[in-house]
């Protein structure tokens, strides 16, 4: 008997009588009067930066003014002509010197300040983790109240890899002192466009 | 984890020698508990969310057989190789075999309490494989030759000056520098080199979705992602109880997990791994290691609902003052005290007694495990099997006789009050285990029975 068969047989023998799944519709999950206000308040609290913009040119201006080594900026967004487009074929290890990566987020979540990104938006999975600074473009209309609405929006969509990102990489492992930039980005800037 | 058979009272006594440190440990964890409270109160439907999470987990345990089959089928369809391990030994052998197939002897690993439970690092070290733990806290305890003392905050027992000294020794940081910002930056450089050069990365699993075959890993540091995305082979190790039915259920658990753990609204990264990269191989190891036995213990199966947030650690008055190592188990704290006896009842017989049964653990548990009830039930089970701590059993027998004979109880009470008043050294001496870390209150002049007899007509 294989371990699989052994484990499954033991589970079947020992699991209790079937209990029904609860209906998530009964949760009355939190709603906010102003999802943008909530989103930006939370994101700032967890170390992120929120910048409201009217057009994508402002992204270029902002990153040039706030970060150095412009030759090491990359983007996956065609609307940022002055920033180098990410070469999708690149081996992820060559991204280690990326200073700023600018990508799109599909939506943001007001209750926790996170944004949802899949491999379609990052092209190379390591990109939003290995860059020194992460910048994300988000449309104001693409804000949901809570994680239940988030998963309703994701629904049965196909992705190979997806991630909720909420602020810069961080740790508080040394005496609970918060330090931004553990292994991943030291900053996260979300550009919110109306 | 130490392989000695030292018990919780002795090990707590070691931790309690440094009173200032105990206070610091206690206050730090209580501060995290308070952050948890604030985060929970920011969600008006928090209690309903806990009820829902508990109900989902009850459904999982009652239908685990089918969910495991569904998960495996979908994961394989996603291009993932699925392995089944009956116990720790088999789990470790599977990992080692994958490493051998890929001719790899150096790997990175992000936090996985399951691999701790299986003793993977020691096993691989014996087989000449170097494992680098990449969570900062885990790296610190690894450099120190220790194991995590807390499942979410592995080095919560370490002071920054000691970490500065450790990094000076191992990472060549300047002597005397204990600045957390500086030390974290040093670790970032040290570990980046490992992420970029290691071909195999191991991660744990927070949730695995039967419906889609994907699994979710939550970290704040981004170390799971740095490891997994830069490696040729990603091995994810999970206990079979980590399954949840559908993707939408992640919404419930991700709302609860980090709020309960650290008071954050969500961890920085909640990564959903579904298919391997084009040039990558992905493996999932499904591990039993005693879980099916626990599933069959009607009184104790609830413990399998645990999502490893450690809220019960941070709130526990015993854990906060005795430290993680006093439990002598991979998973310390209240949840560890109800999980560990299932793995080895004799070795961990002391743990269900390492509690005041105050019930705070049960009150903060995001999936509503009745932890303090289970602690109480384990005490009975352990006593029935003859493994209960001898001193406590003897004292309990005396109490049982006293409580069953009212006259004896009255005389005993009188004698005790007299002794405490006139001969306190008979109680407050080192031979009395109860007196450790306690102050003796002054004895009342009369017993409650005497007081009641005197006063009942005065109403």
């Amino acid at each position: 008997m294989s371990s699989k068969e052994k484990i499954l047989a033991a589970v079947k023998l020992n699991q209790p009588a079937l209990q029904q799944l609860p209906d998530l519709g009964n949760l009355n999950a939190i709603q906010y009067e102003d999802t943008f206000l909530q989103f930006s308040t939370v994101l700032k609290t967890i170390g992120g930066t929120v910048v409201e913009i009217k057009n994508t040119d402002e992204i270029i201006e902002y990153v040039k003014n706030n970060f150095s080594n412009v030759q090491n900026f990359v983007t996956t967004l065609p609307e940022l002509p002055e920033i180098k487009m990410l070469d999708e074929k690149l081996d992820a290890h060559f991204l280690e010197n990326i200073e700023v990566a600018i990508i799109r987020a599909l939506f943001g979540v007001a209750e926790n300040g996170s944004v949802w990104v899949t491999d379609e938006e990052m092209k190379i999975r390591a990109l939003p983790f290995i860059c020194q600074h992460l910048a994300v473009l988000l449309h104001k209309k693409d804000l949901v109240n809570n994680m239940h609405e988030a998963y309703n929006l994701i629904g049965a969509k196909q992705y190979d890899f997806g991630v909720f990102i909420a602020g810069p990489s961080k740790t508080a492992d040394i005496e609970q002192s918060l330090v931004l930039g553990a292994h991943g980005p030291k900053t996260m800037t979300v550009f919110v466009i109306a | 984890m130490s392989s000695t058979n030292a018990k919780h009272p002795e090990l707590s006594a070691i931790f309690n020698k440094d009173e200032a440190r105990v206070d610091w440990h206690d206050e730090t964890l209580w501060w995290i508990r308070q952050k948890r409270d604030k985060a929970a109160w920011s969600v008006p439907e928090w209690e309903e969310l806990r009820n829902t999470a508990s109900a989902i987990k009850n459904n999982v345990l009652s239908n685990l057989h089918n969910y495991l089959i569904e998960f495996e089928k979908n994961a394989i369809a996603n291009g993932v190789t699925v392995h089944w391990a009956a116990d720790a030994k088999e789990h470790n052998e599977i990992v080692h075999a994958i490493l051998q197939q890929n001719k790899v002897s150096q790997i990175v690993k992000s936090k996985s309490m399951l691999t701790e439970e299986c003793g993977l690092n020691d096993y691989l070290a014996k087989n000449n494989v170097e494992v680098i733990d990449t969570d900062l806290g885990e790296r610190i305890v690894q450099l120190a030759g220790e194991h995590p003392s807390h499942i979410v905050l592995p080095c919560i027992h370490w002071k920054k000056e000691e970490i500065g000294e450790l990094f000076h020794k191992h990472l060549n940081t300047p002597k005397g520098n204990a600045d957390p910002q500086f030390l974290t930056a040093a670790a970032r450089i040290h570990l980046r080199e490992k992420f970029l050069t290691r071909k195999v990365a191991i991660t744990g699993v927070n949730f695995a979705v039967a419906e889609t075959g994907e699994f979710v890993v939550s970290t704040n540091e981004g170390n799971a992602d740095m490891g997994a995305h830069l490696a040729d082979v990603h091995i994810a190790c999970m206990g079979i109880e980590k399954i949840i039915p559908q993707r939408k259920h992640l919404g419930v658990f991700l709302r609860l997990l980090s709020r309960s753990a650290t008071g954050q609204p969500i961890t920085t990264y909640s990564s959903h791994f579904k298919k391997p990269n084009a040039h990558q191989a992905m493996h999932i190891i499904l591990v039993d290691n005693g879980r099916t036995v626990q599933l069959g213990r009607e009184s104790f199966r609830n413990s399998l609902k645990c999502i490893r947030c450690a809220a019960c650690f941070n709130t526990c008055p015993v854990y906060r003052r005795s430290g993680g190592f006093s439990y002598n188990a991979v998973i310390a704290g209240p949840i560890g005290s109800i999980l560990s006896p299932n793995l080895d009842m004799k070795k961990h017989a002391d743990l269900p007694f390492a509690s005041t049964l105050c019930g705070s653990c049960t009150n903060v548990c995001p999936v509503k495990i009745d932890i303090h009830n289970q602690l109480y039930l384990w005490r009975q089970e352990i006593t029935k099997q003859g493994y209960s701590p001898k001193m406590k059993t003897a004292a309990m027998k005396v109490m049982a006789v006293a409580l069953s004979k009212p006259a004896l109880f009255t005389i005993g009470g009188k004698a005790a009050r007299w002794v405490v008043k006139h001969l306190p050294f008979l109680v407050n001496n080192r031979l009395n285990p109860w007196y450790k870390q306690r102050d003796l209150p002054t004895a009342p002049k009369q017993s409650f029975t005497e007081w009641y007899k005197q006063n009942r007509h005065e109403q």
Side-chain angles (χ1 to χ4, degrees), chain A residues 78-100:
Chain A
E79 53 266 58
L80 302 177
E82 282 184 58
I83 311 286
K84 193 170 28 172
M85 275 299 273
L86 177 74
D87 175 4
E88 292 177 35
K89 301 269 185 298
L90 210 62
D91 181 308
H93 296 80
F94 290 107
L95 300 176
E96 69 157 323
N97 294 320
I98 295 298
E99 196 65 27
V100 179

Coordinates of all heavy atoms in Angstrom, one line a residue, chain A residues 78-100:
Chain A
P78 N 3.2 49.9 -21.4 CA 3.5 50.5 -22.7 C 3.3 52.1 -22.6 O 3.9 52.8 -23.4 CB 2.5 49.9 -23.7 CG 1.5 49.2 -22.8 CD 2.0 48.9 -21.5
E79 N 2.5 52.5 -21.6 CA 2.2 54.0 -21.6 C 3.3 54.8 -21.0 O 3.1 56.0 -20.7 CB 0.9 54.3 -21.0 CG 0.6 53.7 -19.6 CD -0.1 52.3 -19.7 OE1 0.4 51.4 -20.3 OE2 -1.2 52.2 -19.1
L80 N 4.5 54.2 -20.7 CA 5.6 55.0 -20.1 C 6.8 54.9 -21.0 O 7.8 54.2 -20.7 CB 6.0 54.4 -18.7 CG 4.9 54.3 -17.6 CD1 5.4 53.7 -16.4 CD2 4.3 55.7 -17.3
P81 N 6.7 55.7 -22.1 CA 7.8 55.5 -23.2 C 9.2 55.8 -22.7 O 10.1 55.3 -23.2 CB 7.3 56.5 -24.2 CG 6.4 57.5 -23.5 CD 5.8 56.8 -22.4
E82 N 9.3 56.7 -21.7 CA 10.7 57.1 -21.3 C 11.4 56.0 -20.4 O 12.5 56.1 -20.1 CB 10.7 58.4 -20.5 CG 10.5 59.6 -21.5 CD 10.6 60.9 -20.7 OE1 11.6 61.1 -20.0 OE2 9.6 61.6 -20.7
I83 N 10.6 55.1 -19.9 CA 11.1 54.0 -19.1 C 11.4 52.8 -19.9 O 10.5 52.4 -20.7 CB 10.2 53.7 -17.9 CG1 9.7 55.0 -17.2 CG2 10.8 52.7 -16.9 CD1 10.7 55.7 -16.3
K84 N 12.5 52.1 -19.6 CA 12.8 50.9 -20.4 C 11.8 49.8 -20.2 O 11.4 49.5 -19.0 CB 14.2 50.4 -19.9 CG 14.8 49.3 -20.8 CD 16.2 49.0 -20.4 CE 16.6 49.2 -19.0 NZ 17.9 48.8 -18.6
M85 N 11.3 49.2 -21.3 CA 10.4 48.1 -21.2 C 11.1 46.9 -20.7 O 12.3 46.6 -21.1 CB 9.8 47.8 -22.5 CG 8.6 48.6 -22.9 SD 7.2 48.4 -21.8 CE 6.3 47.0 -22.5
L86 N 10.5 46.1 -19.8 CA 11.1 44.9 -19.3 C 11.2 43.9 -20.4 O 10.2 43.6 -21.1 CB 10.3 44.3 -18.1 CG 10.7 43.0 -17.6 CD1 12.0 43.2 -16.7 CD2 9.7 42.4 -16.7
D87 N 12.4 43.3 -20.6 CA 12.5 42.2 -21.5 C 12.0 40.9 -20.9 O 12.6 40.4 -20.0 CB 14.0 42.1 -21.9 CG 14.3 40.9 -22.8 OD1 13.3 40.2 -23.2 OD2 15.5 40.6 -23.1
E88 N 10.9 40.4 -21.4 CA 10.2 39.3 -20.8 C 11.1 38.0 -20.8 O 10.8 37.1 -20.0 CB 8.9 39.0 -21.5 CG 7.9 40.1 -21.3 CD 6.6 39.8 -22.1 OE1 6.2 38.6 -22.2 OE2 6.0 40.7 -22.6
K89 N 12.0 38.0 -21.7 CA 12.8 36.8 -21.9 C 14.0 36.7 -20.9 O 14.7 35.7 -20.8 CB 13.4 36.7 -23.3 CG 12.3 36.7 -24.4 CD 11.9 35.3 -24.8 CE 10.9 35.2 -25.9 NZ 9.6 35.9 -25.7
L90 N 14.2 37.8 -20.2 CA 15.3 37.9 -19.3 C 15.3 36.9 -18.2 O 14.2 36.5 -17.7 CB 15.3 39.3 -18.7 CG 16.7 39.9 -18.3 CD1 17.5 40.1 -19.6 CD2 16.4 41.3 -17.7
D91 N 16.5 36.3 -17.9 CA 16.6 35.4 -16.7 C 16.4 36.3 -15.5 O 17.0 37.4 -15.4 CB 18.0 34.8 -16.7 CG 18.2 33.9 -15.6 OD1 17.9 34.3 -14.4 OD2 18.6 32.7 -15.8
A92 N 15.5 35.8 -14.6 CA 15.2 36.6 -13.4 C 16.4 37.1 -12.6 O 16.4 38.1 -12.0 CB 14.2 35.8 -12.5
H93 N 17.5 36.3 -12.6 CA 18.7 36.7 -11.9 C 19.3 38.0 -12.3 O 20.0 38.6 -11.6 CB 19.7 35.5 -11.9 CG 19.2 34.3 -11.3 ND1 18.4 33.4 -11.9 CD2 19.4 33.7 -10.1 CE1 18.1 32.4 -11.1 NE2 18.8 32.6 -10.0
F94 N 19.0 38.4 -13.6 CA 19.6 39.6 -14.1 C 18.8 40.8 -13.6 O 19.2 42.0 -13.9 CB 19.6 39.6 -15.6 CG 20.7 38.6 -16.2 CD1 20.3 37.4 -16.8 CD2 22.0 38.9 -16.0 CE1 21.2 36.5 -17.2 CE2 23.0 38.0 -16.5 CZ 22.6 36.8 -17.1
L95 N 17.8 40.6 -12.8 CA 17.0 41.7 -12.3 C 17.5 42.3 -11.0 O 17.0 43.2 -10.4 CB 15.5 41.3 -12.1 CG 14.8 40.8 -13.4 CD1 13.4 40.3 -13.0 CD2 14.7 41.9 -14.4
E96 N 18.6 41.7 -10.5 CA 19.0 42.0 -9.2 C 19.4 43.5 -9.0 O 19.4 44.1 -7.9 CB 20.1 41.1 -8.7 CG 21.5 41.3 -9.4 CD 22.6 40.8 -8.5 OE1 22.6 41.0 -7.3 OE2 23.6 40.3 -9.1
N97 N 19.8 44.1 -10.1 CA 20.2 45.6 -10.0 C 19.0 46.5 -10.4 O 19.3 47.7 -10.5 CB 21.4 45.8 -10.9 CG 22.6 45.1 -10.5 OD1 22.8 45.0 -9.2 ND2 23.4 44.5 -11.4
I98 N 17.8 46.0 -10.6 CA 16.7 46.9 -10.9 C 16.4 47.8 -9.7 O 16.2 47.4 -8.6 CB 15.5 46.1 -11.3 CG1 15.7 45.2 -12.5 CG2 14.2 47.0 -11.4 CD1 15.9 46.1 -13.8
E99 N 16.4 49.1 -10.0 CA 16.2 50.1 -9.0 C 14.7 50.3 -8.7 O 14.2 50.2 -7.6 CB 16.9 51.4 -9.4 CG 17.1 52.4 -8.3 CD 18.0 51.9 -7.2 OE1 18.9 51.1 -7.5 OE2 17.9 52.4 -6.0
V100 N 14.0 50.6 -9.8 CA 12.6 50.8 -9.8 C 11.9 49.9 -10.8 O 12.3 49.9 -12.0 CB 12.2 52.3 -10.0 CG1 10.7 52.5 -9.9 CG2 12.9 53.2 -9.0

